[in-house]
């Protein structure tokens, strides 16, 4: 038996929302919606972000100069970073909730 991943949990909560709508149960609908927001990390207030002026915009990278092996390496690194970020969010959600 595997542990449910984020996608599974979101789908389960979506099903719970649908059942709450069918049963005309607004409290259950609200709880399922809050559960989804917590899992996705969007239940926190948005912080005020002030733009910093006089900062050079980052240059767009030109990947056309990379060979196939370098592109594969770049993709692998990007996937590892994305997975690590997702793992960190999941771990935070487990510890926080």
């Amino acid at each position: 038996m595997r542990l449910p991943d984020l996608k599974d949990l979101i789908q389960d909560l979506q099903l719970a929302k649908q059942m709450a709508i069918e049963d005309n149960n607004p409290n259950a609908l609200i709880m399922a919606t809050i559960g989804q927001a917590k899992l996705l990390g969007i239940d926190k207030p948005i912080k005020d972000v002030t733009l910093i002026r006089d900062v050079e915009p980052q240059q767009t990278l030109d990947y056309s100069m990379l060979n196939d092996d370098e592109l594969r390496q770049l993709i692998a690194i990007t996937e590892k970073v994305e997975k690590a970020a997702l793992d960190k969010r999941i771990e935070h959600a487990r510890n926080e909730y």
Side-chain angles (χ1 to χ4, degrees):
M1 183 173 139
R2 71 174 179 82
L3 289 174
D5 61 12
L6 183 61
K7 182 179 176 183
D8 295 331
L9 296 172
I10 293 297
Q11 287 175 342
D12 289 347
L13 287 168
Q14 189 63 35
L15 177 61
K17 286 171 62 176
Q18 187 61 41
M19 292 169 64
I21 291 169
E22 291 169 3
D23 293 342
N24 197 21
N25 186 344
N27 289 334
L29 176 61
I30 290 168
M31 293 307 296
T33 302
I34 290 171
Q36 284 181 323
K38 286 182 176 183
L39 283 174
L40 296 171
I42 57 176
D43 62 321
K44 307 284 189 250
I46 297 173
K47 295 180 181 177
D48 180 28
V49 178
T50 305
L51 294 177
I52 300 173
R53 301 199 186 274
D54 302 325
V55 175
E56 296 276 330
Q58 290 184 338
Q59 292 181 336
T60 304
L61 299 177
D62 180 13
Y63 298 112
S64 65
M65 302 300 287
L66 299 177
N67 63 37
D68 288 346
D69 188 48
E70 292 169 330
L71 284 172
R72 278 190 286 276
Q73 290 176 4
L74 180 60
I75 290 168
I77 291 169
T78 302
E79 288 172 348
K80 285 181 184 178
V81 169
E82 289 173 347
K83 184 180 181 324
L86 179 60
D87 289 347
K88 185 176 178 181
R89 288 185 68 131
I90 291 171
E91 184 64 27
H92 172 74
R94 285 183 181 148
N95 292 336
E96 189 72 20
Y97 309 107

